[in-house]
Amino acid sequence: MDVPLYLEPRLESRLASLLRARTFLHTLAGGLGSPLNVVLPDRIAENLAAFRAVYRRHHLSGGIFFAHKANRSSALVRRLAATEAAVDVASLGELQHALGSGFVPDRIMATGPKNPEFLWLAARSGTTVNIDSPAELGQLAALVRDYGLPRLRILLRLSGFCAPGVRLLTRQSRFGTAEAELDGLLKSVERHRDAVELTGVGYHLDTTSPAEKAVALEGCVKALDTCRARGFTPRAVDIGGGFGTDYLADGAQWQRYTTELTNAALGTRPPMTWRRHTYGLRNENGTLRGALALYPAHRPTAGAQYLDTLLSLPAPSLGRPLATLLLENLYELHTEPGRALVDQCGVTLARVLEVRRTEATDRTEATDHTEPSDRREATDDRPEPSDRTDNADRAGTAGRTGPGHLLVRLDANADDIGLEEHGVLVDPVLVPRTAPGGAPDTGPVTCYLAGNLCLEADMITRRAVHLPSAPRPGDLLAFANTAGYCMDFSADEAQQQPVARKVAVWQDGPADDTGREDASWHWCLDEQYWPHVNRRTKGSA
Amino acid sequence: MRFERITDAIGNTPLVRIDPSVHGLRTIDLYAKLEMLNPFGSVKDRAAWNMVRPGLSAAADEDRTVIELSSGNTAKALAVLAGMHGVPFKTVTNRMRIPEIKDLLLLLGAEVEELPGQTECLDPTNTDDPLTAFHQTLTEPGSAYLYTDQYYNDRNTQAHVEGTGPEIVKDLDGRAPDWFIACVGTAGSSTGVARVLREHDPRVEVVGLVSHKADFVPGIRTIDEVQEVGLFDPGTYGTIASVTADEAIDGMLTLARRCGILAGPTSGAAYFGAVRHLRELDDGPAPGPDSDPDRPAGRRTAVFIVCDRIESYLGYVRQRRPELLGRPPQPNSVATVSDAEVRGAPDIGVEDARRWIEHDRPLVVDLRSPFAYTALHIAGSVNIVDELFGELVRGGLPFSKSRPVLLACPVGEQSAKYAALLARMGHPDVRSLRGGIIAWRDAGAPLVRE
């Protein structure tokens, strides 16, 4: 039998230690309910330090703005406020939250499309505004004039950059002003010189390709030169976010998994997904078509390392490494990491409500990892599934091609655990209720994870998930690394199911101190967390 | 050999035996089919010419553009062929990772479009992948393209059914080899040659080589990517094995250094994959002085394809195996300056530098790029970008010892290295601007834009 198609999560020391703290996690979920979001504020400060180290390596200065939209947590934002980081806010609520968490307006940038309320608070507080369109610039300048506010720092978001030589296509963006229209935009800035001060330009591209970003970064440097020639004194290039996260522990697992997914789409192996979902791939006369609509969960170059790679690339037309280009033109670099800055900063816990066999309405996997009929999932005190005998019989007669997988119903829904929604395929970690050895080891199992809504579509995963042993009712499944967009981005109260509570957890010492990995964990509600109270945080990260 | 047209020189490439002392196989003769000797440099010349030939004159009359999804050799051949017939050529790709090829295509007059990378924020409702968009453009009413469609076009395979395959059989005295080993890109050459060889002898074993999934070998697809190829049929291959970039480069080195075959990494992969596969099967007794001299009937043959030339892949090698291109450091090179020398380099702070400039008028050399210099610089300074400056000093001091020199770079790091180097070379009064142009600006000293 093949090794199960695991996609084990990448767990660095702090998060790994937390997931080993079985009793602690069960106490939390027992008291606060399922689902439960757990954030690790100390880790965000470590990630910040890694980004800053890349700046230092390239002798660059400038702000590292946490893209707040990645997570609503107060603990993470307050912990960052105790460091040298800045924050990027994209709504009125996020701006209020940043101000209330201890960020002064100097360290806040308002980005994205803005409504009048958001624009007002940004202007009134003196927050830097990243201008999305000429109309927005007009509205902002009017506010400053009408209310006699101090001159406001702005950046211009540009898009549609052109490369020399080979034409590099880039996805159309809803945001920003085309580079070709810079002249008109600068005329507006000149008209509003009394109200705004141009401090830089930036881009934010929705792509994983460093080559496209190199074109945009160089385009920004050239745009700043145009600004200088017109008498402005801009200082910064804002290269946005999109540095990515590596979710998986083992690249070989990802490669093996995606190959099997390709084979499943072509029909050369049994389906691996609920209702034969193929994640965007399709079979046209034996040839593969479509594109894999998944986040590249295995990214060997992600986060701060991606920034390092990007800064080391040569500028497409000027030839100098991008970092050198910024440096010798005396520009600062602003970055807006979101997902990358909250890497390893959170986990979502969900309680197992029920485990049952699902009917195989279709062919099942040839490498069927469901357990033999004598090893059953429901060995605790909960009622066993009523179809036990039935299943056991069928398994006995049908053997490996017998009945389908386990269906594991969780007390959480697909909106609480956004991994699938964001195309991130990664296995949860089983946190059993009883101590290891307390229950017979079932061996590897294949299961679908279903949510708590009365809705066919509410699947936490559309793929069959392989786990080293069967979950049982009362156990917790821990979804690691959800803090970036996969925790509270789209959670709501559908069907009046509760939205996950959020807690902050920390250890007294650094997690990577030898012998301190399993130091005891402390917790408080996310909104109760303040870095100086809950942890002896001295100075910046 | 006299030809009327360069296209007549396509095909009829040599089949060359690899010296057994290189591959070490005792009972198998390994032959290389030198497709690199086609006029435009690769095996793709055959397919490109066969695919584009029927439509070219009509395309010229109707002002159509030849278009293909190609990241390399097919684009190169099509660019030449289209150009010879006065037809524009455009290639669209998301796989072009060899910068030399991009520049070469531009030089040949091709238009190159690169597709965008994967999105960072997945939009699951977006089912529109770049390739679908490409196909939509082609089928738009009034679109003026001649699409050669190499991944689906049977004329790609046909070029090898009629050319490469029969040539191999002819050069092996009318026999098919026991093994045929080919890298799989469009699957055209492997499918076409395999068809011919099997018609000759159904026992031929065909080995398809793909790139290791996490790796990149030019011209070869990974095991998943071959599934996107219309011409690819897994039934063509008895074995499909993968090769890493490192192994491809190893194979390339052996071909180049020991066999005199200056081929690219794709061919290196084919050689490496061939020898790896055959070594397992090399189980007959070694024919030699001790063994029966009448055993040649027991010898078996294998053929692999050498698909293109080495020259375009220097950057590829530099990125993966820089030590292969290593050169000893030159004497007056900034790389030879030790950390201690840099620490001891004469430097000067911004305020003192301003006074020094005022009184002694040193030559101020700004080591930044012309773009940055033009934007803002110290009045009266000259601009010699660091790369150029490095070249200059290699030959000796580029200015008189009687003239003091102030070197400036962004933060004072590069300038300190060069100050140390110039001091070592005997310049009596060279100084580095401490903290560089950034410190100069931060101190409020004037910078001009002229």
Side-chain angles (χ1 to χ4, degrees), chain A residues 371-406:
Chain A
E371 62 283 74
S373 58
D374 57 341
R375 289 192 299 197
R376 293 304 311 219
E377 64 280 8
T379 48
D380 69 348
D381 52 359
R382 288 173 187 255
E384 291 174 5
S386 57
D387 60 350
R388 173 180 181 165
T389 322
D390 193 26
N391 266 330
D393 286 351
R394 203 175 308 129
T397 52
R400 289 183 69 221
T401 55
H405 312 301
L406 299 182

Side-chain angles (χ1 to χ4, degrees), chain A residues 97-259:
Chain A
H97 190 217
L99 289 166
S101 298
F103 279 96
V104 293
D106 269 357
R107 293 169 61 202
I108 308 178
M109 179 153 52
T111 64
K114 303 163 196 78
N115 65 13
E117 294 82 358
F118 184 21
L119 219 46
W120 162 253
L121 189 61
R124 178 63 274 184
S125 61
T127 294
T128 302
V129 178
N130 200 318
I131 297 288
D132 194 49
S133 68
E136 190 175 284
L137 176 60
Q139 290 166 23
L140 190 71
L143 279 177
V144 172
R145 279 194 208 102
D146 293 352
Y147 292 87
L149 303 178
R151 203 156 160 244
L152 205 63
R153 286 184 308 262
I154 59 163
L155 284 91
L156 304 175
R157 177 165 173 173
L158 303 179
S159 62
F161 298 94
C162 293
V166 167
R167 198 170 139 222
L168 201 59
L169 301 181
T170 286
R171 254 173 228 93
Q172 191 184 0
S173 170
R174 289 167 51 201
F175 308 114
T177 306
E179 185 196 26
E181 291 157 33
L182 179 65
D183 183 63
L185 187 59
L186 288 180
K187 283 197 179 109
S188 310
V189 180
E190 277 161 356
R191 263 202 313 282
H192 299 305
R193 246 186 167 137
D194 59 313
V196 297
E197 179 199 352
L198 179 62
T199 64
V201 301
Y203 68 84
H204 190 126
L205 298 183
D206 179 19
T207 179
T208 56
S209 154
E212 277 169 74
K213 291 183 179 178
V215 171
L217 206 163
E218 183 184 71
C220 284
V221 171
K222 290 182 169 175
L224 285 183
D225 197 55
T226 308
C227 298
R228 270 179 176 170
R230 294 173 66 150
F232 295 104
T233 52
R235 294 187 297 272
V237 175
D238 179 353
I239 64 166
F243 304 102
T245 288
D246 185 10
Y247 285 94
L248 297 178
D250 182 354
Q253 288 182 351
W254 169 249
Q255 276 143 26
R256 197 167 144 250
Y257 188 89
T258 44
T259 293

